[in-house]
Amino acid sequence: MTEKLLFTGKTHISGGRDGSARSGDGTIDIKLPQPHPAAENLFGIAWSACYIGAMELAAAQRKITLPDGPEVDAEITLNADNGSFFLRARLNVSLPGIDRDVAQELIEAAHGICPYSKATHGNIDVETTLV
């Protein structure tokens, strides 16, 4: 199999109490106050967008038509334990109009497709709930 580069995201971060971040294409330009909750929010946004695309691909592979408007509410928590920091994630997924068993199959399949899910697999606790 030949690898094909699909996209490269480029960002610039400057730190300190008045830190900021911006993307190379100008679509993101935000302040990063201390502590940096924006990091967890941005991670949740990026993962959710990718995850929806993965569910759409899983549905297409199974010849299932998804209704308009699949949704993911992500909660990314930063935790500390004895001076060690770690993340946890909760993805609440809404696939209205799809049989619950089929929807559950799609959200499980999406974890095998989504690069963010693959990157976090076995590294952080992830709870996925069909709502």
Side-chain angles (χ1 to χ4, degrees):
M1 176 179 257
T2 303
E3 181 178 312
K4 179 181 177 185
L5 176 65
L6 299 176
F7 181 79
T8 300
K10 296 180 181 180
T11 60
H12 175 79
I13 310 297
S14 59
R17 289 189 172 272
D18 295 315
S20 63
R22 68 178 186 271
S23 62
D25 63 4
T27 60
I28 299 171
D29 188 358
I30 63 171
K31 297 288 184 196
L32 297 172
Q34 294 286 343
H36 297 296
E40 287 74 29
N41 291 336
L42 290 169
F43 184 58
I45 289 168
W47 191 353
S48 297
C50 181
Y51 192 78
I52 286 175
M55 287 188 300
E56 291 169 343
L57 180 57
Q61 290 171 339
R62 290 160 176 74
K63 309 243 187 289
I64 297 169
T65 302
L66 285 182
D68 289 337
E71 297 178 355
V72 175
D73 290 315
E75 297 174 27
I76 308 297
T77 61
L78 175 62
N79 307 279
D81 185 20
N82 293 322
S84 177
F85 299 95
F86 61 97
L87 298 174
R88 285 199 173 113
R90 179 177 301 122
L91 303 178
N92 295 312
V93 181
S94 175
L95 288 172
I98 298 286
D99 176 78
R100 283 195 69 80
D101 290 337
V102 173
Q104 187 65 42
E105 178 185 339
L106 293 175
I107 67 172
E108 290 171 12
H111 279 301
I113 296 169
C114 174
Y116 288 85
S117 293
K118 289 179 186 181
T120 58
H121 183 75
N123 296 314
I124 68 172
D125 291 333
V126 179
E127 177 185 328
T128 308
T129 304
L130 178 61
V131 294

